[in-house]
Amino acid sequence: MDREKKVGILLIVIGICIPLLTLPFLSGYSKDKGITNNLYLAGIAIKNDKPGNAESQPSGNIETTKSKFSYVLSKLIPKRIPFRFFLVITLILCYMGIVRIDRSRRKNEDRQDSQTEEHQ
């Protein structure tokens, strides 16, 4: 088997394994919801929402600069990584693997054509 073909198969296998390895950490999936809702709402939780802190915004005059900065920073850090990001990585790796396999097949056909021309 050609090295290029092995790399292509490896890329496809890695692409398929990435979402399968993230499934145990997935939250937000529900059987009752449709495919679209599950695709948009499922993800891996990075940080948990603390009750009471989700809506509490620092007031203007009394709060210090440090607490304002920590509030803004907490808004910038995402709460979850959407599962669809992992699916995009899967599609890209599978596409790259298919292209590698196709490229190796074309190289083999070109080699065979050149060998038959030499023998004639």
Side-chain angles (χ1 to χ4, degrees):
M1 190 182 302
D2 191 17
R3 182 182 181 278
E4 192 87 15
K5 193 172 188 178
K6 287 180 184 178
V7 170
I9 292 171
L10 183 67
L11 284 172
I12 292 172
V13 169
I14 289 172
I16 291 172
C17 288
I18 287 175
L20 292 177
L21 292 174
T22 59
L23 285 178
F25 307 107
L26 199 64
S27 63
Y29 176 79
S30 176
K31 288 184 193 178
D32 300 333
K33 297 178 182 175
I35 293 173
T36 308
N37 283 338
N38 281 326
L39 187 64
Y40 283 115
L41 298 178
I44 297 175
I46 296 175
K47 66 177 186 174
N48 294 332
D49 290 333
K50 296 177 184 173
N53 287 346
E55 298 297 325
S56 64
Q57 183 176 1
S59 58
N61 297 337
I62 302 172
E63 297 296 320
T64 63
T65 307
K66 184 177 178 182
S67 64
K68 287 181 183 179
F69 179 72
S70 65
Y71 174 73
V72 170
L73 190 62
S74 69
K75 286 291 190 182
L76 290 176
I77 297 173
K79 296 175 185 167
R80 65 177 43 198
I81 301 171
F83 184 63
R84 60 183 180 252
F85 289 174
F86 296 105
L87 294 178
V88 168
I89 293 170
T90 297
L91 290 175
I92 290 171
L93 288 175
C94 287
Y95 176 75
M96 288 172 53
I98 291 170
V99 167
R100 290 264 178 137
I101 292 171
D102 186 46
R103 188 183 312 161
S104 74
R105 184 178 297 159
R106 287 184 184 174
K107 283 183 182 179
N108 287 339
E109 288 175 359
D110 290 341
R111 286 183 197 154
Q112 290 175 356
D113 289 341
S114 66
Q115 287 176 357
T116 56
E117 288 175 3
E118 290 175 1
H119 290 289
Q120 292 178 354

